[in-house]
Amino acid sequence: MTSARRKAAKVVIVGGGFAGLYAALTLQKELESALVEVTLIDRRNYFTFTPLLPEVAAATLGSAHVSYPFRLLAKKAGFRFLQAEVSGFDLDARTVRIGSPSIPYDYLIVALGSVPFFFGNPDLESHSLPLTSVPDAVRIRNHVIRLVERAVAEPDPDRRRELLTVVVAGAGPSGVEIAAELHHLIHTVLLKYYPLDPALFRVVLVDGADRILLHFDRKLAEAGQKELTERGIELRLNTRVTGATAADVELNGGEERIRTHTLIWTGGTQPNPALVHLRVAKTPRGAVETDDFLNIPTHPEAYVIGDAAAVTDRRHSRLYPPVAPVAIRQGVRAAGNIVNAIQGRAPEPFLFDFTGNIVGLGGGVALVNLLGIKFHGRLGWLFYRMAYLQRLVGLKNKVALVFTLGLNALFDRDISCET
Ligand SMILES: Cc1cc2nc3c(=O)[nH]c(=O)nc-3n(C[C@H](O)[C@H](O)[C@H](O)COP(=O)(O)OP(=O)(O)OC[C@H]3O[C@@H](n4cnc5c(N)ncnc54)[C@H](O)[C@@H]3O)c2cc1C
């Protein structure tokens, strides 16, 4: 049968983050549109480049640098986009529910990502600012600037100090980046324009482990730790954030309380609770257990990828971590296995080896581990910028990033409070 006469396979991808988007782009690249009809569903109408969210929260970049409309990508790549919240899956009938209509599929890719995890503590959830999306980043930026404005008018020095104290829970890559970026914003821009005593500002980074960046090379993480401490960021290691109110943060079950109105939460994530609609085997954390080909074992036409999936790296007997490079490669592999299935070839297992990792520390400094070669400082920063510039989605966003960084070198960042 010629490709023109064969019925196009319907592929539905739920979630347009790193995993889902790269699956859609790969499918459209690999197959003629006569062979496949790809529909990407997401509750937002834009893709979010999460690694740069800390820079949006610190006003280094704007929200337009890190978001890209799916409609533009869909038109260019040739897939269909639907903005909708997924409310159910029927794996036997092969349909995805979005409100009342059900979307039929031949192949399904679930890439719903993860959400913040508050260890079941409702106080932490209601009194903290998470950082997982563009609205979260903009909220943090506005919140910090609004409190600095209030501090100027506050006569009581203790209350002023509370308003100027930022606590960040979790010293993984996003916690380290947001603490460093906010500290940089305070000391390079805010102190220039607000008549406030620099000694009143505090940025406190709290983590239960004995060091920052637990999954990084120890020496590199220690170099980062030294850099942050020298700048004046307070590191509270072997310490857990166990509670919060509107006016303070509780450490180690009440051993200590820090008076503050700003708790930024990067203390943990869990697979998206929307996966509850997928009634298949899951880990205790709620990630879907897949086989080596990224399939749901009982439904070989359905794939789960990215942060939503628990995929075992059998060579090292451990799960792949929830990070962007894994999500991207799983998107490419799941798409490749659908192409294999359509073309009658055997599926290939998912295998991924890390080439390194990067963390930006703001102020022109980054930590880099590239194929075991470790470096930091200015060279690290240059590499960090180049790596994210290359990965950023959309030429317009890349040009805007370069342009804005140039402007930032000449002018101060925008500190207008948007709400
Ligand atoms: C602030 C921050 C910084 C990070 N920095 C790094 C970094 O520097 N390096 C790195 O490797 N990783 C980083 N990560 C982790 C990385 O972002 C994730 O591992 C990656 O995004 C996972 O991709 P994903 O496609 O599985 O999920 P996501 O990218 O989260 O995408 C999930 C998609 O599903 C959509 N969705 C969710 N629920 C529904 C629903 N019910 N219906 C429809 N659509 C829905 C969402 O809108 C989203 O578009 C960072 C994460 C954050 C939050």
Side-chain angles (χ1 to χ4, degrees):
M1 198 188 289
T2 66
S3 62
R5 273 188 275 139
R6 193 186 293 179
K7 196 167 157 276
K10 287 186 171 54
V11 181
V12 173
I13 302 172
V14 182
F18 282 102
L21 178 64
Y22 276 81
L25 296 175
T26 307
L27 275 166
Q28 290 298 167
K29 202 164 73 188
E30 294 287 317
L31 290 174
E32 299 164 37
S33 47
L35 284 180
V36 71
E37 199 184 286
V38 178
T39 303
L40 177 69
I41 303 173
D42 200 290
R43 64 179 171 192
R44 297 202 183 93
N45 84 337
Y46 58 87
F47 168 78
T48 305
F49 192 83
T50 51
L52 295 181
L53 284 175
E55 295 192 60
V56 177
T60 306
L61 301 177
S63 42
H65 294 101
V66 298
S67 45
Y68 201 84
F70 284 123
R71 296 267 160 205
L72 271 63
L73 293 162
K75 188 161 169 70
K76 200 162 158 221
F79 60 84
R80 189 172 160 240
F81 173 69
L82 278 178
Q83 183 177 9
E85 182 98 24
V86 170
S87 55
F89 299 93
D90 187 333
L91 291 176
D92 296 326
R94 296 192 183 182
T95 56
V96 173
R97 208 168 44 248
I98 49 166
S100 56
S102 283
I103 314 282
Y105 65 81
D106 298 308
Y107 297 95
L108 170 70
I109 298 181
V110 178
L112 284 167
S114 53
V115 298
F117 180 55
F118 298 96
F119 300 92
N121 184 326
D123 292 336
L124 288 179
E125 186 163 358
S126 52
H127 295 295
S128 68
L129 298 158
L131 177 61
T132 58
S133 64
V134 171
D136 287 347
V138 173
R139 200 174 306 126
I140 290 173
R141 173 190 181 284
N142 287 336
H143 176 90
V144 169
I145 295 171
R146 196 182 309 118
L147 293 192
V148 178
E149 294 286 0
R150 267 178 62 191
V152 174
E154 173 57 58
D156 176 359
D158 289 337
R159 295 234 344 108
R160 221 181 298 147
R161 191 171 175 76
E162 274 170 47
L163 293 167
L164 300 176
T165 298
V166 173
V167 177
V168 178
S174 28
V176 165
E177 288 191 4
I178 185 71
E181 284 287 341
L182 286 176
H183 185 271
H184 190 246
L185 172 73
I186 291 164
H187 288 270
T188 57
V189 185
L190 298 183
L191 277 170
K192 210 159 136 184
Y193 297 102
Y194 291 82
L196 288 162
D197 177 0
L200 288 177
F201 281 93
R202 283 178 84 189
V203 177
V204 188
L205 179 59
V206 186
D207 199 290
D210 65 350
R211 65 167 168 118
I212 65 165
L213 302 170
L214 203 55
H215 303 293
F216 260 58
D217 170 79
R218 183 174 274 276
K219 281 220 166 71
L220 208 52
E222 280 167 3
Q225 224 162 274
K226 187 164 171 277
E227 171 80 28
L228 297 184
T229 316
E230 279 172 6
R231 284 187 202 173
I233 295 173
E234 294 175 42
L235 295 185
R236 306 298 302 271
L237 301 172
N238 298 307
T239 305
R240 286 171 308 117
V241 172
T242 47
T245 69
D248 67 6
V249 167
E250 177 195 272
L251 303 180
N252 285 341
E255 264 174 30
E256 188 187 340
R257 303 192 85 89
I258 300 178
R259 303 281 304 168
T260 179
H261 299 272
T262 311
L263 170 61
I264 298 174
W265 185 259
T266 65
T269 58
Q270 62 177 349
N272 193 328
L275 292 166
V276 73
H277 301 302
L278 209 50
R279 293 198 180 84
V280 295
K282 300 198 186 100
T283 63
R285 290 184 66 243
V288 174
E289 289 173 358
T290 73
D291 62 19
D292 295 351
F293 309 105
L294 307 174
N295 290 120
I296 296 174
T298 50
H299 290 82
E301 72 292 344
Y303 299 75
V304 184
I305 54 176
D307 287 6
V311 184
T312 303
D313 181 350
R314 298 204 184 279
R315 299 164 303 170
H316 305 109
S317 303
R318 60 174 181 231
L319 293 175
Y320 284 102
V323 290
V326 170
I328 291 171
R329 296 314 303 172
Q330 287 182 347
V332 173
R333 183 69 269 137
N337 280 345
I338 291 175
V339 173
N340 286 340
I342 291 172
Q343 296 183 336
R345 289 192 301 266
E348 292 170 44
F350 175 73
L351 290 172
F352 178 75
D353 291 306
F354 282 92
T355 49
N357 36 31
I358 328 172
V359 167
L361 298 185
V365 175
L367 308 172
V368 178
N369 180 356
L370 179 66
L371 296 166
I373 303 167
K374 292 144 209 157
F375 50 102
H376 53 94
R378 296 271 158 204
L379 183 62
W381 186 251
L382 192 66
F383 184 83
Y384 167 88
R385 279 291 179 227
M386 298 301 282
Y388 284 142
L389 191 62
Q390 190 246 334
R391 270 276 174 234
L392 204 59
V393 172
L395 180 63
K396 184 180 162 215
N397 289 23
K398 293 182 192 207
V399 173
L401 179 73
V402 173
F403 201 66
T404 303
L405 293 175
L407 286 178
N408 286 353
L410 297 174
F411 304 101
D412 286 328
R413 289 173 259 175
D414 177 15
I415 49 165
S416 43
C417 185
E418 289 165 14
T419 51

